[in-house]
Amino acid sequence: VGPEALSLWESKSTFTSFGVFFLQMGWGDLGAFGEPSKETPNLDQMASEGMLFLDFYTANPLCSPSRAALLTGRLPVRNGFYTTNAHARNAYTPQDMVGGIPDSELLLPELLKKAGYINKIIGKWHLGHRPQFHPLKHGFDEWFGSPNCHFGPFDNRALPNIPVYRDWEMIGRYYEDFKIDLKTGEANLTQIYLQEALDFISKQQTSQQPFFLYWAIDATHAPVYASKHFLGTSQRGLYGDAVREIDDSIGKILHHLQKLGISENTFVFFTSDNGAALISAPKQGGSNGRFLCGKQTTFEGGMREPAIAWWPGHIPAGGVSHQLGNVMDLFTTSLSLAGLQPPSDRQIDGIDLLPAILQGELIDRPIFYYRGNEMMAVRVGLYKAHYWTWSNSWEEYSKGIDFCPGQNVSGVTTHTQEEHTTLPLLFHLGRDPGEKYPLSFASDEYQRAMERISVVVQQHKVTMVPGEPQLNVCDKAVMNWSPPGCEKLGKCLKPPESDPKKCFWPH
């Protein structure tokens, strides 16, 4: 960090609070990124007051591994959020998942807690629902939300409805106590999550306590929902209604920070855990702009995310950065702002973005695109090399499951796992952001680019020590039958006999 940035950093390091908005939205869902309906005025204003990252990525094209990556600063293949059950499968944490975030991993809130921070998660945890994986056992002081997505409603016999927690104990279940109308899409959950954020910020400001707020709500995750006030207000249908409500909520949170006089002491970052889910498009799916495919894939539409940094008085307004960034960088950057060092006993994949944010520097670093246990692609500079391609299987595709609707690119969006390790498919993302035109293997440009990329890949593989895979074993007995607090509510359910099995991952 340069002298000017360093002085700012040092003067604020012990007082800087953090807010991370981590949602499921596509690169093309924001007006600031070109969405034509311009229905995200608050996020667009956040961008105009802060810095827009145009080349920002998630660590995995699926929810759970991306969240594990953000909070550990490590690739999912290192922190255990992957499967070895079948090659290159995307895996998340459904109700019957036995695994979760290992005790051996150090999460951002655990490290911030040592520096006196109060940490709260609002929304979806998704790093394991068994007691040992509870977020309050991994550095968070408060939790309001759920361990899984809001799938359902279930019958509470074959499958239990997902619990909603306040801190250590459940306070109800989705569809029973927290209503979601699947016919209309109406639910007031986003408003509840908004109020939780406002109350938490007020409380910490009153006590002059630095805080970390992780706002990870799931309104744009199918089944999509929005409150009554926002239903029918978007040109984009129900998904747009949900986006508009999220945008309104973020605007209220930022305004609250300003009203309390702590905005200059609060670093806020908005981004997404994966690209928009095109499988649920068009009614419940977002937009990935010009990029190829969506959630579940390692094409740009699955892993390049909208990203905005906001820190009034520190980040120059209206900034645009082409720094290659990743959600894992939020781990390292937050520690840096808090005056803390990242753990030295493990490989940390996130970098400190402060030089890029405060001084406009460009830090040379690669982006690795993993799907399960396989490195599918790598980006170095403007070049992206695919070592494997796969959208989804012919069997799944024939059932109507399509992660790239209307975007078939011959030889690229493959329905069999195609290996290209000998001659990777190479794209220049500046000229071809949609990954439609592979460079000729015989061209000088291809040879020069691959010489550089091959060195990066070789160095990466030398340092790669995979963690113990957490997403291999499933057991219906570990589902959300009797979460802590169920006795008080009379909502304990009887689990079936334990019968652990190898999880099946079709994608």
Side-chain angles (χ1 to χ4, degrees), residues 21 80 148 170 195 202 239 318 383 387 427 451 478:
F21 301 124
N148 303 83
M170 71 175 283
Q195 194 60 50
S202 295
Y239 181 87
Y383 292 97
Y387 288 77
F427 297 89
E451 284 178 9
V478 306

Side-chain angles (χ1 to χ4, degrees), residues 338-369:
L340 301 172
Q341 294 293 322
S344 59
D345 63 343
R346 63 201 63 206
Q347 182 74 36
I348 300 296
D349 297 292
I351 66 169
D352 184 357
L353 291 176
L354 282 183
I357 292 172
L358 298 179
Q359 292 181 291
E361 292 184 13
L362 290 179
I363 305 161
D364 186 25
R365 62 90 67 87
I367 295 293
F368 297 101
Y369 303 69

Side-chain angles (χ1 to χ4, degrees), residues 4 14 25 61 115 167 175 183 200 219 238 268 275 292 329 376 392 394 415 442 484:
E4 182 183 349
T14 56
M25 290 171 67
D167 299 330
Y175 298 96
K183 290 182 179 179
F200 174 74
L238 180 57
V268 183
L292 186 61
D329 301 340
M376 304 287 286
N392 64 329
W394 282 113
H415 291 290

Side-chain angles (χ1 to χ4, degrees), residues 16-94:
T16 304
S17 295
F18 308 103
V20 173
F21 301 124
F22 201 44
L23 313 168
Q24 179 175 305
M25 290 171 67
W27 199 91
D29 280 333
L30 277 63
F33 285 86
E35 205 289 314
S37 66
K38 303 291 184 184
E39 293 181 344
T40 54
N42 295 288
L43 283 164
D44 297 347
Q45 183 176 344
M46 181 184 180
S48 70
E49 295 174 355
M51 178 171 283
L52 205 63
F53 282 82
L54 300 181
D55 297 82
F56 198 86
Y57 291 85
T58 186
N60 188 274
L62 210 61
C63 314
S64 301
S66 295
R67 291 160 193 265
L70 184 152
L71 292 174
T72 63
R74 286 153 56 79
L75 285 163
V77 73
R78 295 194 207 273
N79 63 39
F81 265 69
Y82 70 102
T83 179
T84 57
N85 284 359
H87 179 250
R89 253 60 174 186
N90 277 325
Y92 64 105
T93 55

Side-chain angles (χ1 to χ4, degrees), residues 205-405:
Q205 191 272 340
T206 300
S207 61
Q208 297 293 296
Q209 189 77 35
F211 62 84
F212 169 46
L213 172 61
Y214 178 51
W215 202 66
I217 74 166
D218 59 358
T220 48
H221 190 297
V224 173
Y225 61 79
S227 63
K228 188 174 184 178
H229 178 71
F230 287 90
L231 286 178
T233 64
S234 169
Q235 296 180 39
R236 305 179 63 199
L238 180 57
Y239 181 87
D241 296 342
V243 169
R244 289 198 67 240
E245 185 169 16
I246 288 171
D247 175 79
D248 181 78
S249 298
I250 290 174
K252 285 184 168 68
I253 293 171
L254 297 183
H255 177 71
H256 194 58
L257 292 170
Q258 293 170 321
K259 185 178 70 173
L260 294 175
I262 58 174
S263 60
E264 292 194 5
N265 294 73
T266 310
F267 177 85
V268 183
F269 205 93
F270 165 89
T271 191
S272 176
D273 59 355
N274 44 246
L278 301 185
I279 187 175
S280 53
K283 290 188 176 181
Q284 298 205 12
S287 168
N288 296 312
R290 294 183 63 190
F291 302 124
L292 186 61
C293 300
K295 179 177 179 175
Q296 296 267 13
T297 77
T298 49
F299 300 110
E300 291 297 286
M303 293 188 63
R304 198 188 297 205
E305 310 304 333
I308 305 169
W310 186 85
W311 192 18
H314 304 276
I315 298 175
V320 176
S321 177
H322 286 282
Q323 171 65 49
L324 293 188
N326 195 290
V327 297
M328 298 178 291
D329 301 340
L330 299 179
F331 174 90
T332 313
T333 304
S334 297
L335 291 178
S336 179
L337 282 165
L340 301 172
Q341 294 293 322
S344 59
D345 63 343
R346 63 201 63 206
Q347 182 74 36
I348 300 296
D349 297 292
I351 66 169
D352 184 357
L353 291 176
L354 282 183
I357 292 172
L358 298 179
Q359 292 181 291
E361 292 184 13
L362 290 179
I363 305 161
D364 186 25
R365 62 90 67 87
I367 295 293
F368 297 101
Y369 303 69
Y370 270 86
R371 184 166 171 163
N373 56 346
E374 183 62 67
M375 189 200 79
M376 304 287 286
V378 62
R379 176 176 174 179
V380 175
L382 286 169
Y383 292 97
K384 179 179 180 182
H386 289 267
Y387 288 77
W388 287 85
T389 53
W390 188 41
S391 53
N392 64 329
S393 69
W394 282 113
E395 181 184 5
E396 295 291 304
Y397 180 70
S398 66
K399 297 176 183 176
I401 298 172
D402 190 356
F403 303 141
C404 311

